[in-house]
Amino acid sequence: MYEFTEETRTLVDLVRRIVKDHQMPLERRKLRGEDLFVKDYIPGREAARQAGLWGLGLPEEFGGANLSLVDQLAVVEESKKCLTPILFGGEVSRDLLRLKGEQKARYLDPFLSDAKRPSFAFVEPEGGSDPRGHTATTAKEDGDGWVINGTKIWVSGYEDTEIVFVLARVGEEGAGGMSLFAVERGSPGLIEHGPMVMLGGARAVDRGSHYTAYKLVFENCRVDKLARIGGEGADFKETQSVVNLARLGQAAATLGVSQRCYEMMVDYAKNRVLFGSPLSEKQSIQSMIVNSWIEIQQNRLMMYTCAKKGDRGEDVRIETSLLKLVCTEMVNRVIDRAIQIHGGVGCTYEHPLAHFYDYYRMSRIWVGASEVHKYRVLARHLLA
């Protein structure tokens, strides 16, 4: 079992109190069928900000909490145990931190202050989980700007964004010829298709009552020179760093949800009497509970060991791929066991399990499908 330091335990306790005071009441409202709005999440968001939980991984010079990777994941794990988690602010890609002057004012400062929220468009219709090998979107210099052509799909967070960061090819085939471009919503030549309603919940009504994604088509979409992020040295590594952090964050989220489901299993099994005895006395129920506990502990140990390596500056690309795979597969098994133990009550949307089941089924596809991690990342690494 992985044990936190005293400092990390204090941080986790702080997050737990904020979730209890501000987010769990929202969860109860959601389970009663009430609509939730962005304004309903503001008190918890502000409580987190007042507690110093703003820009969790950002350096202090940018107003961030400058937490270690271990502490960031601990915060995410604890906050995600709730169906209506804290919406932490000040989260930006670290690639934007090097921006200066007008670029900084346009593409960094608004996100740091929470005046704007970013969205990312990496995936293409033919690419799926392989943006490196299937980026057909191009950006070509034209006079005092760039012209972008191509199509992106599964763009999430777009319903309340003002700027979308687009991965486009600027040179020859290969990852080295790609860069990020900041495209403002409403730009001429940017055509929106959507929203597409997908599996998932815990969305505020004014952000879409369900998890949504968009398809974006760029037809001679013109942006100015400042829109290119990173200049001539930009390449796929910038995107990969975003993806690696997303995979770790996803692992932490699935562990938090798995722990919540495990605790619900134990509580229900102890108190539900069937055929004259508690469910907890049935061997099949014990097996489901024990197997869930083992998986959670194994994966937590692996995740925080990986985070420690990341804090030391070591290359953890393979570990993050493995974590994304095993943790998202795990959370689906754990939720399924929890629903099986709860029976019919676990299948209603008056219970958190049904919502978790909806939302985390997608986790096996987000940021690279399980099969991609098995056969494109891990197998390639092992057989190199």
Side-chain angles (χ1 to χ4, degrees), residues 19-34 36 82-84 260 349-350 352:
V19 169
K20 178 182 177 182
D21 293 343
H22 297 283
Q23 307 311 122
M24 290 305 293
L26 295 184
E27 178 178 288
R28 290 190 288 271
R29 287 175 55 188
K30 183 176 181 65
L31 295 176
R32 291 196 297 266
E34 294 184 29
L36 298 179
C82 180
L83 186 61
T84 50
R260 172 87 184 276
Y349 285 102
E350 296 177 1

Side-chain angles (χ1 to χ4, degrees), residues 348-375:
T348 73
Y349 285 102
E350 296 177 1
H351 197 282
L353 289 174
H355 295 273
F356 285 143
Y357 190 83
D358 264 4
Y359 195 74
Y360 281 91
R361 175 58 183 88
M362 292 177 62
S363 68
R364 290 160 56 193
I365 298 173
W366 290 334
V367 206
S370 294
E371 291 72 22
V372 171
H373 288 279
K374 286 180 183 178
Y375 304 116

Side-chain angles (χ1 to χ4, degrees), residues 309 315-319 321-322 372-384:
K309 292 178 66 175
D315 185 351
V316 292
R317 285 175 294 176
I318 298 302
E319 286 92 335
S321 182
L322 176 59
V372 171
H373 288 279
K374 286 180 183 178
Y375 304 116
R376 288 286 297 171
V377 181
L378 300 177
R380 184 170 57 191
H381 169 71
L382 293 173
L383 298 172

Side-chain angles (χ1 to χ4, degrees), residues 137-350:
T137 298
T138 61
K140 295 184 178 180
E141 285 190 276
D142 183 56
D144 59 353
W146 295 83
V147 175
I148 301 174
N149 283 282
T151 301
K152 299 290 184 180
I153 59 171
W154 314 129
V155 182
S156 60
Y158 189 74
E159 63 272 13
D160 61 341
T161 192
E162 293 183 42
I163 296 177
V164 59
F165 290 93
V166 182
L167 185 67
R169 192 175 299 282
V170 298
E172 300 298 325
E173 292 293 321
M178 293 194 286
S179 285
L180 287 178
F181 289 83
V183 181
E184 295 188 18
R185 192 169 183 176
S187 295
L190 171 54
I191 304 169
E192 303 174 5
H193 296 273
M196 295 174 280
V197 179
M198 306 179 73
L199 287 172
R203 304 288 290 177
V205 169
D206 39 354
R207 290 190 186 176
S209 58
H210 298 276
Y211 186 85
T212 58
Y214 283 73
K215 174 183 175 181
L216 302 180
V217 178
F218 301 86
E219 291 186 355
N220 294 320
C221 179
R222 175 174 287 276
V223 295
D224 63 27
K225 287 287 188 181
L226 291 177
R228 185 181 185 184
I229 306 300
E232 295 298 327
D235 59 18
F236 187 75
K237 291 181 180 178
E238 298 174 349
T239 304
Q240 190 64 45
S241 68
V242 175
V243 171
N244 284 339
L245 286 174
R247 288 170 179 166
L248 283 173
Q250 193 175 56
T254 57
L255 281 164
V257 170
S258 296
Q259 181 66 29
R260 172 87 184 276
C261 293
Y262 161 77
E263 292 169 0
M264 285 192 285
M265 276 191 241
V266 171
D267 182 67
Y268 192 82
K270 286 181 177 180
N271 291 285
R272 173 64 166 159
V273 176
L274 192 65
F275 301 116
S277 61
L279 282 178
S280 58
E281 294 183 5
K282 315 297 183 185
Q283 187 173 1
S284 60
I285 302 299
Q286 293 174 358
S287 177
M288 285 190 280
I289 291 173
V290 169
N291 286 339
S292 297
W293 181 86
I294 290 172
E295 285 191 85
I296 292 167
Q297 299 309 319
Q298 288 176 330
N299 290 335
R300 288 186 82 246
L301 176 60
M302 183 165 60
M303 183 181 75
Y304 286 109
T305 300
C306 173
K308 281 187 172 181
K309 292 178 66 175
D311 282 329
R312 294 195 297 264
E314 298 180 35
D315 185 351
V316 292
R317 285 175 294 176
I318 298 302
E319 286 92 335
T320 59
S321 182
L322 176 59
L323 277 166
K324 193 277 175 187
L325 169 64
V326 297
C327 287
T328 56
E329 294 285 334
M330 169 198 68
V331 74
N332 280 271
R333 286 191 295 269
V334 172
I335 295 171
D336 188 74
R337 291 169 190 151
I339 290 176
Q340 194 69 20
I341 288 174
H342 281 75
V345 68
C347 297
T348 73
Y349 285 102
E350 296 177 1

Side-chain angles (χ1 to χ4, degrees), residues 45-46 49 54-55 58 61-64 87-92 96-97 104-118 162:
R45 190 180 181 88
E46 286 303 309
R49 186 170 193 165
W54 189 263
L58 288 180
E61 63 185 286
F62 294 99
L87 301 178
F88 294 106
E91 298 300 312
V92 302
L96 301 181
L97 299 184
K104 178 178 180 294
R106 187 189 296 185
Y107 301 127
L108 175 60
D109 292 344
F111 302 133
L112 293 177
S113 66
D114 208 36
K116 294 182 180 180
R117 294 187 177 91
E162 293 183 42

